[in-house]
Amino acid sequence: MNYLHFIKRSILLAIAVTLFSACSEQPAPVKLVYPNKVNYESFIIANHLGYFKEGDSPVEVITVNTGINAAEALTLGNADLAAMGDGPTVMLMAQKKNVSIITRYAKGERIHRMVADTSIHVSANLLGKRIGVQVGSSTYGALMSWLENHNIPADQITIVPMDPLNMPEAMKNRQLDAIAGSEPWPLNVEKLCQNSVHELDNLQNEKNHFPHVLLANNKIFSEKSKKGILSVLKALDKANDFISANPDSSAKIASHYIGLTEKEQKECLSRLTWELDWTSSDLNSLEETASFFLKSKKIAERPDIAKYLHLMSAEK
């Protein structure tokens, strides 16, 4: 009897160890980084509504201030997936980083604005002035394009590299004459400086719809299952549908994280098209950004963007 009892206990112990091992071998979470700002509402809403928790693979969310911060996290190995605009995307490719574009999740021609001192009425008044911008950002490429289209030589203005968080105080203290940025940076300047500043122009470009994309560190393809990427894509697809169908609710959710009023947030949401896709116009837009980065000597050579495509959809 003692021998049979020992056998039974051994079998039960073996089953328990097997079950414990199975539970402990859950896939490591996919690390996703994105900025808590305008143009990234797909991620903010997906996270807020719990969509990232609905997939087959766990997702760990990391938030930063800007797309450049997200690019840094991706290349340093602190994230597997990252959201960013066309500027940081082109910079990573020009630096031959080990990354791939998975999809474009949003686009919008009117997402960049220039706010200037009220003494500056037209583009020609910028000659000899100081413009603050985050160099290497999507706005930086938009600004270079806008200057060329308005016949303003880049060597006749002073580009001041600027952390967007510092733009309001710099304008208030008259360390800058104008700033360029995507929201909420221009709005932050307008709120602090009030009547001493105004919107000079929108930096829209008919050749560039400023695609915002999801990039992957290529290590994820060998080290982790694609299930993690699919979990993120399905969550984003669902969030984009929510934004399109519920602009008021979306604005309310996003305003809580970004700090804008619901009215301001709704206007920002309306400036973008929210959809997972990739078309030739996305490629052309990135090529346009690369052209102006090359002209301004921010990159040494034009990257072969098509080689960095590893496109996936939420369906597969």
Side-chain angles (χ1 to χ4, degrees), residues 115-117 130 132 166-179 189 193 196-197:
V115 172
D117 187 272
R130 303 157 298 175
N166 298 329
M167 287 179 175
E169 287 294 337
M171 284 293 292
K172 181 180 180 182
N173 296 328
R174 301 193 179 280
Q175 297 169 311
L176 298 171
D177 302 296
I179 65 95
V189 170
C193 300
S196 65
V197 299

Side-chain angles (χ1 to χ4, degrees), residues 19-195:
L19 290 173
F20 177 79
S21 298
C23 292
S24 63
E25 290 176 2
Q26 293 296 317
V30 170
K31 295 183 178 180
L32 168 67
V33 60
Y34 64 84
N36 257 338
K37 69 178 292 290
V38 172
N39 305 335
Y40 299 89
E41 286 91 340
S42 300
F43 297 85
I44 293 170
I45 288 172
N47 191 37
H48 180 85
L49 296 178
Y51 294 162
F52 289 132
K53 297 178 181 179
E54 296 177 356
D56 297 327
S57 183
V59 177
E60 178 183 338
V61 168
I62 305 165
T63 60
V64 291
N65 289 327
T66 69
I68 289 178
N69 297 149
E72 291 170 350
L74 186 68
T75 56
L76 290 173
N78 297 327
D80 304 304
L81 299 171
M84 65 193 75
D86 53 298
T89 299
V90 168
M91 293 291 284
L92 292 185
M93 294 173 182
Q95 295 165 6
K96 303 186 188 316
K97 298 297 185 180
N98 191 31
V99 299
S100 294
I101 293 176
I102 300 299
T103 191
R104 179 255 297 150
Y105 68 88
K107 61 180 181 178
E109 293 84 357
R110 301 183 298 115
I111 62 176
H112 304 291
R113 294 200 296 135
M114 184 185 298
V115 172
D117 187 272
T118 51
S119 63
I120 299 172
H121 304 289
V122 295
S123 59
N125 295 154
L126 288 170
L127 292 172
K129 303 299 185 181
R130 303 157 298 175
I131 304 176
V133 66
Q134 188 176 33
V135 174
S137 66
S138 176
T139 301
Y140 179 80
L143 176 61
M144 293 298 103
S145 173
W146 185 89
L147 291 172
E148 181 174 284
N149 292 338
H150 287 76
N151 300 311
I152 301 175
D155 61 357
Q156 293 189 29
I157 60 167
T158 300
I159 295 294
V160 181
M162 177 72 57
D163 184 328
L165 294 174
N166 298 329
M167 287 179 175
E169 287 294 337
M171 284 293 292
K172 181 180 180 182
N173 296 328
R174 301 193 179 280
Q175 297 169 311
L176 298 171
D177 302 296
I179 65 95
S182 59
E183 303 300 354
W185 317 133
L187 273 168
N188 288 348
V189 170
E190 291 169 332
K191 287 178 179 179
L192 182 65
C193 300
Q194 299 186 10
N195 294 334

